[in-house]
């Protein structure tokens, strides 16, 4: 059974339970399988050898999630050697529709809807809502975690500048 962490974050100021162990800097990332927009599986090893900034959002159809994805889409064009991923539980079709309507082309959208595999591996699956908590992870080319931010209130923005700086540092 997966580890549950009660009250680790809040969602609209209400404590929620996260499923999965907290990821820490220095950890080797756990494997996961999510779906890319063409419904093909994407796992941790599909990005091995690349630095990855993983932006986790509850749902692409909310204001903060939209802003977060737009910001990392803009930054992705300037981040040499860094692959930027956005993970949510939105269906791949909804992600593709939103990206097309918003002109989002620099981030890879991934859906954890099917299994919550990513959510459990990275400790961001919200038990009560079947959504993912807002978080940022940076992985180096060997899948070592170099940066972690679990946003304490899921409706708040992450620290974009720190995450971008961490991705640049990992890509050196």
């Amino acid at each position: 059974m997966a580890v549950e962490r009660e009250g680790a974050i809040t969602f609209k100021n209400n404590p929620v339970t996260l499923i999965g162990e907290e990821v820490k800097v220095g950890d080797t990332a756990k494997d996961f399988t999510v779906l890319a927009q063409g419904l093909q599986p994407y796992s941790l090893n599909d990005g091995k050898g690349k630095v990855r900034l993983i932006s986790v959002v509850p749902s692409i159809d909310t204001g903060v999630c939209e802003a977060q994805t737009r910001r990392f889409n803009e930054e992705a064009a300037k981040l040499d050697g860094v692959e930027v991923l956005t993970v949510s539980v939105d269906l791949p079709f909804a992600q593709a529709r939103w990206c097309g309507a918003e002109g989002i082309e620099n981030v890879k959208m991934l859906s954890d809807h099917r299994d919550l595999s990513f959510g459990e591996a990275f400790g961001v699956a919200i038990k009560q809502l079947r959504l993912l908590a807002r978080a940022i992870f940076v992985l180096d080319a060997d899948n070592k975690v170099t940066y972690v931010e679990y946003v304490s209130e899921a409706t708040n923005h992450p620290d974009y500048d720190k995450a971008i700086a961490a991705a640049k540092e990992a890509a050196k």
Side-chain angles (χ1 to χ4, degrees), residues 57-127:
V57 298
S59 175
I60 199 64
D61 286 317
T62 64
V64 176
C65 298
E66 287 180 1
Q68 180 173 329
T69 304
R70 277 192 202 99
R71 172 74 186 268
F72 285 125
N73 183 66
E74 292 167 14
E75 296 295 340
K78 302 180 254 179
L79 288 171
D80 289 333
V82 178
E83 181 176 46
V84 180
L85 310 173
T86 294
V87 183
S88 73
V89 294
D90 297 297
L91 292 173
F93 313 109
Q95 291 175 336
R97 174 194 46 77
W98 184 85
C99 287
E102 299 295 327
I104 303 297
E105 300 175 345
N106 300 320
V107 298
K108 182 177 288 200
M109 300 294 292
L110 301 171
S111 173
D112 200 21
H113 175 76
R114 186 175 59 187
D115 301 320
L116 289 179
S117 174
F118 176 88
E120 291 185 17
F122 281 72
V124 293
I126 300 174
K127 181 178 181 177

Side-chain angles (χ1 to χ4, degrees), residues 7-81:
I9 67 155
T10 57
F11 190 92
K12 295 185 178 178
N13 296 315
N14 295 306
V16 294
T17 302
L18 297 180
I19 302 170
E21 293 180 30
E22 181 179 356
V23 173
K24 295 182 173 76
V25 170
D27 289 352
T28 298
K30 292 181 183 175
D31 198 15
F32 60 87
T33 301
V34 291
L35 295 176
Q37 288 188 6
L39 297 180
Q40 69 273 20
Y42 179 97
S43 73
L44 181 66
N45 287 326
D46 288 324
K48 191 161 182 163
K50 300 175 189 171
V51 172
R52 281 157 290 162
L53 185 154
I54 305 173
S55 170
V56 186
V57 298
S59 175
I60 199 64
D61 286 317
T62 64
V64 176
C65 298
E66 287 180 1
Q68 180 173 329
T69 304
R70 277 192 202 99
R71 172 74 186 268
F72 285 125
N73 183 66
E74 292 167 14
E75 296 295 340
K78 302 180 254 179
L79 288 171
D80 289 333

